[in-house]
Amino acid sequence: MNILVVNDDGIRSPGIVKLAQAAARFGTVTVAAPDAQCSAMSQHIHVYDPIEVSPAAFPAEGVRAWRIGGTPADCVKAAVHYLCTGEDAPDVVFSGINDGWNAGFDDLYSGTIGAAMEGLRFGIPAFAFSASGGSDFSAADRYLQPIIEELLSYPRCLDVVWSVNFPDGDADGVKGIRRGVKPAQTQFYTDRFLRTDRPDGSFVLQPASELVCSAEPGSDVDWILRGYITIGKVRSTVIGTDLP
């Protein structure tokens, strides 16, 4: 199996190393990741500016890596058209592990989800992985490999991204896995800004988001906050199931 690993936090993110190492147990891995932080890019692409593509050193044995001077979706385009062609064409796209959860309305903004959606556009099944952020990946360390094995056993699906979120805290605190969860009808990270007014009447808004404390019962946000790993679908509204 040929596995394309992408993300939105950049090629230096510890999360993408974790994902590439786990993916390498299932096939041949190529990493194509942004050279800089690209969170909340959704499926944004470059249409005028040039995109620089360079080989990159990567701390995972047997993994070929490239750093891309573009967005997460640009990374998928570059990989499919130039880096993973012919017999090396990707069979699946893995996106993540994101530094921060992707759930609720935040799926709309997520570069992690956006990169996976770009995979669907090329007819490649795609999976997104997210964690609470920071340096604690203990839950992912324990559960990532069996979850990947489970996801790869699912029927080939070309109109949805399977999205996995690991809860906060260590692996021993995980209460279980909730499958088939639906996105909460709210943002996980609230719209909050610190405003600084200027004498000319303009002002500056500094993002200062905070996590919500609760969400509707049974939603992805609700289960994550309660300490569960969640697996759910994020459906594309423009891609049908009749792709090759």
Side-chain angles (χ1 to χ4, degrees), residues 61-81:
E61 185 176 353
V63 172
R64 187 174 59 136
W66 300 82
R67 65 176 188 270
I68 315 294
T71 68
D74 287 330
C75 293
V76 176
K77 287 181 181 294
V80 170
H81 286 301

Side-chain angles (χ1 to χ4, degrees), residues 5 7 39 53 94 101 113 126 131 146 157 160 164-165 173 208 212 217:
V5 174
N7 78 344
S39 289
V53 180
F94 288 170
W101 291 303
I113 299 293
C157 191
V160 299
V164 179
N165 281 281
V212 299

Side-chain angles (χ1 to χ4, degrees), residues 70-108:
T71 68
D74 287 330
C75 293
V76 176
K77 287 181 181 294
V80 170
H81 286 301
Y82 298 102
L83 306 177
C84 306
T85 59
E87 294 182 353
D88 297 326
D91 297 301
V92 294
V93 172
F94 288 170
S95 186
I97 301 172
N98 190 63
D99 184 6
W101 291 303
N102 284 305
F105 285 169
D106 293 293
D107 286 342
L108 299 173

Side-chain angles (χ1 to χ4, degrees), residues 101 106 184 186-191 209-217 219-227:
W101 291 303
D106 293 293
T186 184
Q187 286 183 246
F188 210 147
Y189 301 93
T190 60
D191 282 338
S209 300
E210 296 177 345
L211 282 175
V212 299
C213 298
S214 62
E216 62 267 28
S219 65
D220 53 4
V221 172
D222 175 50
W223 286 116
I224 295 167
L225 290 173
R226 290 163 62 180

